[in-house]
Amino acid sequence: MIRNYVLIALRNFQRQKMFALLNMFGLALGLASAILIFLYISDELQYDTMHPHAKNTYRIGTIFTDPQGQTNTNTFAPGYLLRALRDTRPEVLDIARVDYIGYPTTVHHKKADKIILTEEIKWAEPGFDRIIAFELLKGNRDKMFENHKSIILSESGAQRIFGSADPLGEILTIKHNFATNGQEIDVMVTGVYKDFPSNSHFKAKYLININAFRGVVEDFDHYLEGANFRNVSFFESYVVLKPGADIKPLEEDLKKYAAAMVENDSAVRAQGFKMSAFMTPMSELHFDPENLWENDSTRGDKTYLAIFSSVAFLILLIACINYMNLATARSARRAREVGLRKSLGSQRSQIARQFFYESFLMTAGSLVMALILVIIFLQPFNDLAHKSFTFGSLLDPLMIAIVAGVLIAMALISGSYPAIYLSGFRPAEVLKGQVVRGIGAELFRKSLVTIQYAVSLVLIISTFVVIRQMSFMQTSKLNQAGSQLLSIRYGGTAPQGKFEAFRQAVLQNKDIELVTMGNHLPRLDYFGFIGAQVKFPEFEDKDLNWKQLNVDYYFPKTYSLEFIAGRDFEIGNPADTSSVILNEAAVKALNQPVEKIIGSTVSERYFNPALRAPDYRSMKVIGIVKDFPYESMHRAIDPLMLNPHIHFVDRIAYVKLPAGNFQKNIAAIEKNWKEIFPGVGFDYWFVSDEFNRMYLSENRVASLAKAFAVLAILITVLGVFGLASYTAEQKTKEVGIRKVLGANVGQVVSMFVWLFLKIFIIASVIALPLAYFLADNWLEGFVYRSEISMQMFMISLLGLLLVTLITVSYETWKAARVNPVHSLRSE
């Protein structure tokens, strides 16, 4: 029996090749989209699950509280806390400490005279690989950290330094202003490991044995596990507990150990600081909404996963609706078959089963097409989603289960209506050529297309909103200048005393007018705090915690900041070394007239080493600039001071390049750099690149939204084509009668178009308020947001309407041109 069902289905496909291909293509588009979305979602949900003890591993973080009660959460912890836990708690099975210093490290392969600067380097304890998933490709895992001065490289890290050459046994010279105190350390390459997967929070490209510090750190044991803050480091601190262990008692102990460290350090205790500690499961690091545990500014957002899941469901739904409409669009051609089979004794359930088999075969064929589409578009999808999927990712057991579930659900949903509808034909009527179309069936089909339209409109409008918001953020004052502002890593690599010589050398290029220095901008979420404790004694004797940028005199002009009052720093004016510039948010916070603020005194709190106590220094307000977003636009712009004293380490040189000839000018600047700073790596990027990193999640959503909106339109067009075909076929006799009575082709086409216009209007009434609600809800996550304009709604409506009119007009024009003699004979 099953063999007969399959044969009949294949014969029907053979007879109606075009509609079979349209059906399969529509389902394949929906399936391919869903597979790619579910690949992304499953990858996110399996974040960090590859690590050996992921379910029982925790990271320790710390919380500092200053004398004013302000708290600062840190995802690193002193090594003493881990040592104390290991020594006192039987639940602890293993620990590991990994030091991440921040700021670039110079890695010099002297043999080939190759220098790189990288922030993707970490210093790990031997045994870290018991906690972090790790695959060594070259070298001996048991002996890779046997030598204190050893380094292991990721595949991509080895490629960057050595190309295709074998790096094992090669010597690299490591230098960092803080980690190695500016000294050089020679380390031997003892291994090459596979790059960490994209869904691991741990993605170091270079790992150095932490014991290499023994030659440059004064008291290594204290640095690693000291019980006070003198020369200790804060580590990425991992602890593995026994399965089922309660972390509450351990957190209480951590808080005691943290408090004891403060008590053991008289200087910290005297300043009134407090420290506490907490534990976060490894499984929650990626989705922690409060703390950023990853060094690449990547944070998961389950809200976006829910959005993507909804998009996948909606695309699958409209693909299934397509199948239903296209399957019933040729119902008259199957009516006689159903009548004959029923008259020969077939039961309705057997005929329904036949249509379900056709649906399963069609869906299986669509899966093959979908997999081909997935393979073709996998790399572009990786680029959009910042992932590294391969075809092997589809063979993951979870993905196989998801695809199998989706396949069965699609076959059942898409086959249900044709099976119920077509198997219900009465044999006596259909054999006479009278196929009865019930009002309910017609209404159901039109409702399906209405849903398709509504879903497509919501996706299109939402895509416009996302794109507009991204454009709004990327045209901020800072980012507008960012495409021409070259950032060069300076702090921690090059001596400050030579900066003026570098500036003058760069300015020898007549096309370059401005070179400045300041903090690293924009401020990404994982950057350190930049700020100062200030007060304005002329207004209120109250300490204020404000943000502060340490800049030179050329900064406001280089960044094209707009002054609303006062003046810029004056080159060559020594008095301006004690001056500051405020932003508009600072003026609002002071709640004073601009005239009173200009010329007022600012007292900045700092630790005076001579007094060994807090002290204040006075500065004068000389200007006020318009607010500019120096941090994410998810946050409000805080009060800000521009202080003309360069930060002791957070220093970036900025060169404003003329439009065009970027590579030529960068090459000239690099030449200047190597002449003035021989042996120092030249690390550069554009400010706009940092904005792209800042809004990585939003840009990802925008890119995916564009792709899936286009797919939704394409699938909807197929659905409209199906209904237009069905309607033209069912109204064949009516068209013939109208033409006999004098109707022309245009009038017949108008009749069909009006039918679809009514469906479109109903769908618009449903979609517009829903799209507005969803867009407004998403934009609430931004402090500074774009307007939801009617223009976006009108463009979406008119665009989809135009596509509909073209599709419907073509199909109905063909029906209207048929000779009425043939039309009347057909029924």
Side-chain angles (χ1 to χ4, degrees):
M1 182 64 74
I2 294 176
R3 181 173 175 274
N4 287 338
Y5 288 149
V6 173
L7 283 174
I8 293 168
L10 291 174
R11 286 170 186 162
N12 280 314
F13 296 163
Q14 181 72 18
R15 279 199 303 269
Q16 301 181 48
K17 292 187 185 71
M18 192 185 88
F19 270 80
L21 285 172
L22 275 176
N23 257 332
M24 289 174 65
F25 185 62
L27 288 173
L29 282 177
L31 264 173
S33 305
I35 288 170
L36 290 172
I37 292 173
F38 288 133
L39 258 180
Y40 178 83
I41 293 171
S42 66
D43 187 75
E44 286 285 295
L45 293 177
Q46 293 183 83
Y47 226 90
D48 287 323
T49 56
M50 75 291 295
H51 299 299
H53 310 283
K55 292 181 180 178
N56 301 303
T57 302
Y58 296 80
R59 273 275 297 268
I60 297 175
T62 48
I63 303 171
F64 279 91
T65 306
D66 65 21
Q68 286 70 43
Q70 299 287 327
T71 60
N72 182 31
T73 303
N74 194 338
T75 56
F76 300 87
Y80 168 74
L81 301 186
L82 268 186
R83 189 200 77 183
L85 272 188
R86 179 190 59 196
D87 294 346
T88 60
R89 301 299 307 197
E91 304 97 318
V92 175
L93 297 179
D94 204 355
I95 64 169
R97 287 163 288 207
V98 178
D99 206 352
Y100 176 70
I101 312 296
Y103 296 101
T105 299
T106 300
V107 181
H108 190 182
H109 184 216
K110 291 185 176 179
K111 183 177 175 181
D113 196 25
K114 177 75 177 285
I115 300 174
I116 68 164
L117 287 175
T118 179
E119 292 185 71
E120 298 175 296
I121 195 165
K122 295 187 179 184
W123 307 70
E125 273 191 302
F128 77 94
D129 54 316
R130 296 192 301 268
I131 296 176
I132 301 297
F134 179 82
E135 184 179 346
L136 194 68
L137 302 175
K138 293 181 180 180
N140 187 323
R141 186 165 183 149
D142 295 329
K143 295 183 178 181
M144 63 184 185
F145 275 175
E146 190 174 64
N147 181 348
H148 285 178
K149 293 186 177 181
S150 52
I151 183 172
I152 54 177
L153 317 174
S154 66
E155 280 184 289
S156 57
Q159 175 69 29
R160 184 180 178 191
I161 299 173
F162 296 100
S164 58
D166 185 359
L168 291 185
E170 294 289 337
I171 302 298
L172 295 175
T173 301
I174 307 298
K175 182 181 177 183
H176 190 287
N177 266 24
F178 307 107
T180 69
N181 294 320
Q183 301 178 45
E184 292 186 343
I185 302 177
D186 288 336
V187 292
M188 179 184 288
V189 179
T190 56
V192 176
Y193 58 89
K194 187 176 182 180
D195 283 355
F196 289 102
S198 61
N199 62 345
S200 169
H201 78 279
F202 193 94
K203 300 187 185 79
K205 295 287 181 69
Y206 310 90
L207 288 167
I208 302 176
N209 188 337
I210 201 169
N211 289 289
F213 279 140
R214 289 185 181 275
V216 293
V217 173
E218 183 180 341
D219 184 347
F220 178 78
D221 292 332
H222 184 84
Y223 148 85
L224 193 64
E225 298 180 341
N228 59 40
F229 294 97
R230 181 183 57 84
N231 296 330
V232 301
S233 188
F234 279 60
F235 301 91
E236 295 179 7
S237 301
Y238 297 89
V239 56
V240 181
L241 305 181
K242 291 179 179 178
D246 184 5
I247 69 166
K248 290 182 180 178
L250 280 82
E251 283 193 313
E252 290 301 317
D253 282 357
L254 281 173
K255 290 174 183 176
K256 293 176 185 175
Y257 303 146
M261 284 193 71
V262 174
E263 286 300 312
N264 293 339
D265 196 305
S266 57
V268 175
R269 188 176 68 248
Q271 292 183 58
F273 284 95
K274 297 178 183 178
M275 184 175 76
S276 184
F278 62 96
M279 298 171 70
T280 299
M282 181 180 276
S283 58
E284 296 178 13
L285 298 181
H286 182 57
F287 292 104
D288 189 338
E290 302 296 330
N291 306 302
L292 189 65
W293 300 89
E294 300 172 69
N295 299 324
D296 59 357
S297 193
T298 303
R299 175 183 284 150
D301 191 331
K302 290 188 176 179
T303 302
Y304 284 142
L305 295 189
I307 291 171
F308 291 148
S309 299
S310 302
V311 169
F313 170 76
L314 292 173
I315 288 176
L316 286 173
L317 178 62
I318 59 178
C320 289
I321 290 172
N322 268 4
Y323 180 87
M324 296 179 194
N325 277 331
L326 288 168
T328 55
R330 290 296 184 259
S331 58
R333 297 188 182 184
R334 303 294 300 273
R336 289 181 184 274
E337 175 196 335
V338 171
L340 280 170
R341 292 179 65 187
K342 279 194 170 184
S343 65
L344 293 173
S346 292
Q347 301 295 317
R348 181 175 184 179
S349 59
Q350 292 174 313
I351 296 171
R353 202 174 301 130
Q354 165 68 46
F355 287 113
F356 272 119
Y357 272 106
E358 288 187 17
S359 175
F360 273 101
L361 280 174
M362 188 74 73
T363 310
S366 300
L367 177 61
V368 175
M369 291 178 68
L371 291 174
I372 293 171
L373 290 172
V374 167
I375 293 169
I376 292 171
F377 292 106
L378 193 58
Q379 189 51 51
F381 181 77
N382 281 335
D383 295 337
L384 288 178
H386 300 276
K387 294 290 184 181
S388 53
F389 298 124
T390 63
F391 183 74
S393 306
L394 297 172
L395 303 179
D396 179 81
L398 179 60
M399 275 307 300
I400 292 173
I402 289 172
V403 172
V406 169
L407 194 68
I408 293 169
M410 284 188 75
L412 290 173
I413 293 170
S414 59
S416 60
Y417 179 61
I420 295 167
Y421 172 68
L422 295 176
S423 65
F425 286 159
R426 298 188 185 100
E429 294 169 345
V430 296
L431 291 175
K432 293 177 184 177
Q434 299 171 355
V435 181
V436 179
R437 274 89 59 188
I439 295 174
E442 288 289 325
L443 181 61
F444 183 67
R445 263 190 301 276
K446 291 174 183 175
S447 298
L448 292 179
V449 177
T450 303
I451 292 170
Q452 281 186 308
Y453 271 131
V455 169
S456 296
L457 279 170
V458 169
L459 284 174
I460 295 166
I461 293 168
S462 300
T463 301
F464 271 118
V465 170
V466 172
I467 293 170
R468 187 183 178 94
Q469 178 65 16
M470 290 300 99
S471 176
F472 177 72
M473 292 192 296
Q474 291 169 357
T475 52
S476 67
K477 193 68 183 176
L478 204 58
N479 197 23
Q480 277 181 324
S483 60
Q484 291 179 242
L485 274 177
L486 186 73
S487 307
I488 303 171
R489 177 78 63 188
Y490 201 98
T493 61
Q496 185 63 30
K498 291 187 176 182
F499 176 67
E500 190 56 36
F502 173 67
R503 187 208 308 269
Q504 295 305 322
V506 172
L507 291 175
Q508 292 300 310
N509 184 338
K510 58 182 176 55
D511 294 328
I512 296 175
E513 297 180 1
L514 293 166
V515 179
T516 188
M517 179 171 281
N519 299 91
H520 193 154
L521 293 175
R523 305 301 296 179
L524 302 187
D525 289 343
Y526 67 95
F527 284 6
F529 176 74
I530 50 165
Q533 196 174 94
V534 298
K535 59 183 177 181
F536 289 78
E538 295 167 29
F539 305 135
E540 186 178 7
D541 194 25
K542 174 185 174 183
D543 283 330
L544 303 168
N545 288 304
W546 278 9
K547 299 287 177 64
Q548 176 175 265
L549 292 180
N550 297 94
V551 301
D552 71 7
Y553 283 12
Y554 299 91
F555 183 87
K557 186 178 291 186
T558 305
Y559 272 90
S560 304
L561 301 184
E562 295 182 49
F563 280 81
I564 61 173
R567 63 176 176 85
D568 195 352
F569 297 119
E570 188 177 320
I571 310 300
N573 184 352
D576 277 2
T577 58
S578 298
S579 302
V580 295
I581 295 171
L582 306 182
N583 68 349
E584 288 177 295
V587 174
K588 292 173 186 173
L590 291 172
N591 196 26
Q592 296 289 333
V594 171
E595 297 77 17
K596 289 185 69 175
I597 294 173
I598 296 292
S600 63
T601 300
V602 184
S603 297
E604 182 187 13
R605 190 175 190 263
Y606 74 107
F607 185 77
N608 190 325
L611 300 175
R612 295 188 60 80
D615 197 3
Y616 286 91
R617 54 185 166 213
S618 295
M619 295 177 291
K620 180 182 176 184
V621 178
I622 62 168
I624 296 168
V625 295
K626 279 190 175 182
D627 284 339
F628 60 97
Y630 53 91
E631 294 180 309
S632 169
M633 291 181 74
H634 286 284
R635 301 178 179 179
I637 296 176
D638 291 323
L640 176 72
M641 291 196 318
L642 299 183
N643 187 330
H645 294 89
I646 299 301
H647 195 273
F648 73 99
V649 64
D650 184 9
R651 301 192 299 263
I652 301 293
Y654 297 100
V655 181
K656 192 165 188 177
L657 301 178
N661 292 323
F662 284 160
Q663 291 308 314
K664 177 185 174 184
N665 286 314
I666 291 171
I669 293 168
E670 184 174 8
K671 183 181 177 184
N672 297 142
W673 180 274
K674 288 180 177 178
E675 289 171 353
I676 297 170
F677 308 113
V680 178
F682 181 68
D683 186 24
Y684 69 90
W685 61 92
F686 283 92
V687 169
S688 54
D689 295 335
E690 292 292 74
F691 274 97
N692 289 333
R693 287 176 64 193
M694 178 182 288
Y695 299 120
L696 188 64
S697 294
E698 289 77 11
N699 283 324
R700 182 184 300 160
V701 171
S703 299
L704 292 175
K706 290 177 198 174
F708 293 125
V710 170
L711 282 173
I713 293 170
L714 185 55
I715 297 171
T716 300
V717 166
L718 289 175
V720 171
F721 178 79
L723 185 58
S725 300
Y726 170 81
T727 306
E729 184 169 301
Q730 298 303 326
K731 292 182 177 290
T732 302
K733 190 172 183 179
E734 180 184 338
V735 170
I737 293 170
R738 286 178 177 272
K739 291 192 73 175
V740 168
L741 295 174
N744 58 36
V745 172
Q747 290 171 320
V748 173
V749 171
S750 299
M751 176 187 72
F752 284 103
V753 168
W754 174 238
L755 168 68
F756 283 90
L757 275 176
K758 287 189 287 187
I759 295 173
F760 186 84
I761 291 167
I762 294 169
S764 301
V765 170
I766 296 168
L768 294 183
L770 179 60
Y772 183 88
F773 170 77
L774 293 173
D776 188 61
N777 191 54
W778 181 71
L779 287 170
E780 282 182 1
F782 297 89
V783 176
Y784 303 96
R785 48 181 281 182
S786 60
E787 296 292 328
I788 303 178
S789 69
M790 288 304 298
Q791 186 181 9
M792 292 186 291
F793 288 80
M794 293 306 298
I795 291 172
S796 302
L797 287 170
L798 293 175
L800 191 56
L801 181 59
L802 180 63
V803 172
T804 299
L805 292 176
I806 292 171
T807 306
V808 172
S809 298
Y810 171 72
E811 187 65 21
T812 54
W813 177 77
K814 284 199 309 180
R817 283 178 56 84
V818 174
N819 191 320
V821 174
H822 299 303
S823 300
L824 294 172
R825 187 188 300 160
S826 70
E827 298 188 28

